[in-house]
Amino acid sequence: MVKKFEYIRAGLWYRPIIPVTLRYGKQEVSYLALIDSGADFNIFHSDIASIFNIDLSKLKKVPFSGINKSTNKQAEGSFVELDLEVGGMNSKCMVLFSSDISPDGYGILGQQGFFNNFYVAFNLKDKIIEVKPNNAIIS
């Protein structure tokens, strides 16, 4: 199964932003996420964890940098395992939830949790992204 997405224009540029659905228990949230091959892992704002009633204060904090909203301190977040749906393809993955990123931005799809579960082909010229499963975790 191959799913094609069109690049989305965000400001002056076209970006590889796709719709995803996050599921935790019986709840789900649909969200737009930027495919970022330079990101180590998936990152979403902690507001989504609140929707899922996940108490991040009880989870281990992990430091990260690169997209944090403050240049004065290192960002931190907490990992949670959940289901990620992309174009009808589902996988279990780890997501880092953090309040240290902008609540107005996109989620981030990175190496661990996205690229290790999906094959991704970027075609900027035609503004198309192709995504297909690349391992047995996908259902």
Side-chain angles (χ1 to χ4, degrees):
M1 168 187 220
V2 176
K3 179 68 179 172
K4 293 183 180 185
F5 299 93
E6 291 185 12
Y7 275 68
I8 292 178
R9 187 172 183 143
L12 297 175
W13 310 105
Y14 286 91
R15 296 188 176 133
I17 297 168
I18 63 172
V20 299
T21 301
L22 303 173
R23 286 191 188 85
Y24 186 82
K26 296 183 184 217
Q27 295 177 296
E28 67 179 46
V29 173
S30 295
Y31 208 72
L32 290 175
L34 173 72
I35 302 173
D36 185 350
S37 63
D40 294 327
F41 37 79
N42 301 329
I43 307 170
F44 289 86
H45 194 271
S46 59
D47 287 349
I48 295 175
S50 297
I51 293 170
F52 291 139
N53 294 315
I54 298 170
D55 185 355
L56 296 176
S57 69
K58 296 181 179 181
L59 301 176
K60 179 182 175 185
K61 300 291 184 224
V62 178
F64 70 97
S65 61
I67 66 164
N68 49 316
K69 60 185 179 184
S70 172
T71 57
N72 297 333
K73 68 177 186 107
Q74 187 162 12
E76 62 181 22
S78 299
F79 280 108
V80 174
E81 185 178 65
L82 47 70
D83 292 314
L84 173 72
E85 181 182 319
V86 177
M89 300 171 283
N90 297 297
S91 72
K92 282 224 176 285
C93 69
M94 297 302 284
V95 168
L96 184 103
F97 288 112
S98 175
S99 60
D100 291 333
I101 63 172
S102 172
D104 300 323
Y106 303 103
I108 300 293
L109 299 173
Q111 295 292 324
Q112 299 302 312
F114 184 69
F115 281 95
N116 64 324
N117 291 329
F118 297 97
Y119 168 81
V120 182
F122 298 100
N123 181 338
L124 181 58
K125 180 181 175 235
D126 295 331
K127 297 179 182 63
I128 298 292
I129 307 139
E130 292 183 352
V131 179
K132 66 181 180 179
N134 70 359
N135 66 31
I137 297 173
I138 309 297
S139 61

Short mmCIF file of all heavy atoms in Angstrom, two decimals, residues 1-5 84-91 114 117-121 129-135 137-139:
data_model
loop_
_atom_site.label_atom_id
_atom_site.label_comp_id
_atom_site.label_asym_id
_atom_site.label_seq_id
_atom_site.Cartn_x
_atom_site.Cartn_y
_atom_site.Cartn_z
N MET A 1 0.84 -1.18 0.00
CA MET A 1 0.00 0.00 0.00
C MET A 1 0.89 1.25 0.00
O MET A 1 1.75 1.40 0.86
CB MET A 1 -0.90 0.00 1.23
CG MET A 1 -1.62 1.30 1.47
SD MET A 1 -2.52 1.31 3.03
CE MET A 1 -3.98 2.14 2.52
N VAL A 2 0.69 2.12 -0.95
CA VAL A 2 1.41 3.39 -1.02
C VAL A 2 0.39 4.52 -0.93
O VAL A 2 -0.62 4.51 -1.64
CB VAL A 2 2.20 3.53 -2.35
CG1 VAL A 2 2.86 4.89 -2.43
CG2 VAL A 2 3.24 2.43 -2.47
N LYS A 3 0.64 5.45 -0.06
CA LYS A 3 -0.23 6.61 0.09
C LYS A 3 0.53 7.84 -0.37
O LYS A 3 1.68 8.05 0.01
CB LYS A 3 -0.65 6.76 1.56
CG LYS A 3 -1.54 7.94 1.84
CD LYS A 3 -2.90 7.80 1.21
CE LYS A 3 -3.75 9.01 1.57
NZ LYS A 3 -4.98 9.06 0.88
N LYS A 4 -0.12 8.65 -1.22
CA LYS A 4 0.50 9.88 -1.71
C LYS A 4 -0.15 11.08 -1.04
O LYS A 4 -1.36 11.13 -0.87
CB LYS A 4 0.34 9.99 -3.22
CG LYS A 4 1.13 8.95 -3.98
CD LYS A 4 1.01 9.14 -5.47
CE LYS A 4 1.82 8.08 -6.20
NZ LYS A 4 1.82 8.30 -7.64
N PHE A 5 0.70 12.03 -0.68
CA PHE A 5 0.26 13.28 -0.08
C PHE A 5 0.86 14.43 -0.88
O PHE A 5 1.96 14.31 -1.41
CB PHE A 5 0.76 13.40 1.38
CG PHE A 5 0.28 12.33 2.29
CD1 PHE A 5 1.03 11.18 2.49
CD2 PHE A 5 -0.92 12.46 2.97
CE1 PHE A 5 0.60 10.18 3.33
CE2 PHE A 5 -1.37 11.46 3.82
CZ PHE A 5 -0.61 10.32 4.00
N LEU A 84 -0.04 5.47 15.81
CA LEU A 84 0.07 6.53 14.81
C LEU A 84 -0.52 6.00 13.51
O LEU A 84 -0.11 4.95 13.02
CB LEU A 84 1.53 6.90 14.60
CG LEU A 84 1.83 7.88 13.45
CD1 LEU A 84 1.35 9.27 13.81
CD2 LEU A 84 3.32 7.89 13.15
N GLU A 85 -1.51 6.71 12.97
CA GLU A 85 -2.09 6.34 11.69
C GLU A 85 -1.68 7.36 10.64
O GLU A 85 -1.83 8.57 10.83
CB GLU A 85 -3.61 6.27 11.75
CG GLU A 85 -4.21 5.87 10.41
CD GLU A 85 -5.72 5.85 10.42
OE1 GLU A 85 -6.30 5.40 11.41
OE2 GLU A 85 -6.32 6.31 9.42
N VAL A 86 -1.17 6.85 9.54
CA VAL A 86 -0.76 7.68 8.40
C VAL A 86 -1.39 7.09 7.15
O VAL A 86 -1.05 5.96 6.77
CB VAL A 86 0.78 7.71 8.26
CG1 VAL A 86 1.19 8.50 7.03
CG2 VAL A 86 1.43 8.25 9.50
N GLY A 87 -2.32 7.80 6.54
CA GLY A 87 -2.93 7.32 5.30
C GLY A 87 -3.54 5.95 5.40
O GLY A 87 -3.44 5.15 4.47
N GLY A 88 -4.17 5.64 6.52
CA GLY A 88 -4.80 4.34 6.70
C GLY A 88 -3.87 3.25 7.20
O GLY A 88 -4.29 2.12 7.44
N MET A 89 -2.57 3.55 7.36
CA MET A 89 -1.59 2.59 7.86
C MET A 89 -1.31 2.92 9.33
O MET A 89 -1.07 4.07 9.67
CB MET A 89 -0.29 2.68 7.05
CG MET A 89 -0.49 2.38 5.57
SD MET A 89 0.97 2.73 4.57
CE MET A 89 0.89 4.53 4.45
N ASN A 90 -1.35 1.90 10.18
CA ASN A 90 -1.19 2.10 11.62
C ASN A 90 0.11 1.50 12.12
O ASN A 90 0.51 0.43 11.66
CB ASN A 90 -2.35 1.45 12.38
CG ASN A 90 -3.66 2.07 12.03
OD1 ASN A 90 -3.87 3.24 12.28
ND2 ASN A 90 -4.56 1.30 11.44
N SER A 91 0.72 2.16 13.09
CA SER A 91 1.89 1.58 13.75
C SER A 91 1.92 2.06 15.19
O SER A 91 1.45 3.14 15.52
CB SER A 91 3.18 1.97 13.04
OG SER A 91 3.49 3.32 13.26
N PHE A 114 8.71 7.08 13.06
CA PHE A 114 8.13 7.31 11.74
C PHE A 114 9.00 6.69 10.65
O PHE A 114 8.60 5.74 10.00
CB PHE A 114 7.91 8.81 11.47
CG PHE A 114 7.23 9.07 10.16
CD1 PHE A 114 5.90 8.72 9.97
CD2 PHE A 114 7.92 9.63 9.11
CE1 PHE A 114 5.28 8.92 8.75
CE2 PHE A 114 7.31 9.84 7.87
CZ PHE A 114 5.99 9.49 7.71
N ASN A 117 9.39 3.02 10.64
CA ASN A 117 8.18 2.26 10.34
C ASN A 117 7.66 2.48 8.92
O ASN A 117 6.85 1.69 8.43
CB ASN A 117 7.06 2.62 11.31
CG ASN A 117 7.33 2.12 12.71
OD1 ASN A 117 7.98 1.10 12.91
ND2 ASN A 117 6.88 2.86 13.70
N PHE A 118 8.09 3.56 8.28
CA PHE A 118 7.58 3.89 6.95
C PHE A 118 8.71 4.23 5.99
O PHE A 118 9.71 4.84 6.39
CB PHE A 118 6.62 5.10 7.02
CG PHE A 118 5.39 4.86 7.83
CD1 PHE A 118 5.33 5.28 9.15
CD2 PHE A 118 4.28 4.22 7.29
CE1 PHE A 118 4.19 5.07 9.92
CE2 PHE A 118 3.15 4.01 8.05
CZ PHE A 118 3.10 4.43 9.36
N TYR A 119 8.54 3.84 4.75
CA TYR A 119 9.41 4.28 3.67
C TYR A 119 8.82 5.58 3.16
O TYR A 119 7.61 5.66 2.90
CB TYR A 119 9.46 3.24 2.55
CG TYR A 119 10.11 3.74 1.30
CD1 TYR A 119 11.50 3.76 1.17
CD2 TYR A 119 9.34 4.21 0.24
CE1 TYR A 119 12.09 4.24 0.02
CE2 TYR A 119 9.94 4.69 -0.91
CZ TYR A 119 11.31 4.70 -1.02
OH TYR A 119 11.89 5.19 -2.15
N VAL A 120 9.65 6.60 2.99
CA VAL A 120 9.17 7.92 2.57
C VAL A 120 9.97 8.38 1.36
O VAL A 120 11.20 8.33 1.37
CB VAL A 120 9.33 8.96 3.71
CG1 VAL A 120 8.78 10.32 3.27
CG2 VAL A 120 8.64 8.48 4.97
N ALA A 121 9.25 8.81 0.32
CA ALA A 121 9.90 9.38 -0.86
C ALA A 121 9.40 10.80 -1.05
O ALA A 121 8.19 11.04 -1.10
CB ALA A 121 9.59 8.54 -2.10
N ILE A 129 4.60 13.52 -1.76
CA ILE A 129 5.27 12.67 -0.78
C ILE A 129 4.62 11.31 -0.86
O ILE A 129 3.38 11.22 -0.82
CB ILE A 129 5.11 13.21 0.65
CG1 ILE A 129 5.52 14.67 0.73
CG2 ILE A 129 5.86 12.36 1.66
CD1 ILE A 129 4.61 15.50 1.59
N GLU A 130 5.40 10.25 -0.99
CA GLU A 130 4.88 8.91 -0.97
C GLU A 130 5.29 8.23 0.32
O GLU A 130 6.45 8.31 0.73
CB GLU A 130 5.41 8.10 -2.16
CG GLU A 130 4.89 8.58 -3.49
CD GLU A 130 5.36 7.73 -4.65
OE1 GLU A 130 6.22 6.83 -4.45
OE2 GLU A 130 4.88 7.97 -5.75
N VAL A 131 4.33 7.57 0.96
CA VAL A 131 4.58 6.89 2.22
C VAL A 131 4.04 5.47 2.10
O VAL A 131 2.93 5.27 1.62
CB VAL A 131 3.88 7.61 3.40
CG1 VAL A 131 4.13 6.87 4.71
CG2 VAL A 131 4.34 9.06 3.50
N LYS A 132 4.88 4.50 2.49
CA LYS A 132 4.41 3.11 2.52
C LYS A 132 5.07 2.40 3.70
O LYS A 132 6.12 2.85 4.19
CB LYS A 132 4.70 2.40 1.21
CG LYS A 132 6.15 2.18 0.89
CD LYS A 132 6.30 1.47 -0.46
CE LYS A 132 7.75 1.25 -0.80
NZ LYS A 132 7.92 0.57 -2.06
N PRO A 133 4.46 1.32 4.17
CA PRO A 133 5.02 0.61 5.32
C PRO A 133 6.34 -0.04 4.94
O PRO A 133 6.54 -0.45 3.80
CB PRO A 133 3.96 -0.43 5.66
CG PRO A 133 3.15 -0.58 4.44
CD PRO A 133 3.23 0.71 3.70
N ASN A 134 7.26 -0.16 5.92
CA ASN A 134 8.51 -0.84 5.65
C ASN A 134 8.87 -1.91 6.66
O ASN A 134 9.99 -2.38 6.69
CB ASN A 134 9.67 0.17 5.50
CG ASN A 134 10.06 0.86 6.78
OD1 ASN A 134 9.48 0.62 7.83
ND2 ASN A 134 11.04 1.74 6.70
N ASN A 135 7.92 -2.30 7.52
CA ASN A 135 8.20 -3.42 8.42
C ASN A 135 6.90 -4.06 8.91
O ASN A 135 5.80 -3.61 8.59
CB ASN A 135 9.09 -2.98 9.60
CG ASN A 135 8.41 -1.98 10.53
OD1 ASN A 135 7.20 -2.00 10.68
ND2 ASN A 135 9.19 -1.13 11.15
N ILE A 137 5.44 -4.08 11.77
CA ILE A 137 4.67 -3.44 12.83
C ILE A 137 3.40 -2.79 12.28
O ILE A 137 2.41 -2.63 12.94
CB ILE A 137 5.52 -2.37 13.56
CG1 ILE A 137 6.70 -3.04 14.24
CG2 ILE A 137 4.71 -1.59 14.57
CD1 ILE A 137 7.69 -2.07 14.84
N ILE A 138 3.42 -2.47 10.99
CA ILE A 138 2.30 -1.78 10.36
C ILE A 138 1.13 -2.73 10.20
O ILE A 138 1.29 -3.87 9.82
CB ILE A 138 2.72 -1.23 8.98
CG1 ILE A 138 4.00 -0.41 9.07
CG2 ILE A 138 1.61 -0.45 8.32
CD1 ILE A 138 3.90 0.81 9.92
N SER A 139 -0.07 -2.24 10.46
CA SER A 139 -1.27 -3.05 10.25
C SER A 139 -2.23 -2.36 9.32
O SER A 139 -2.16 -1.19 9.08
CB SER A 139 -1.95 -3.34 11.58
OG SER A 139 -2.35 -2.14 12.20
#
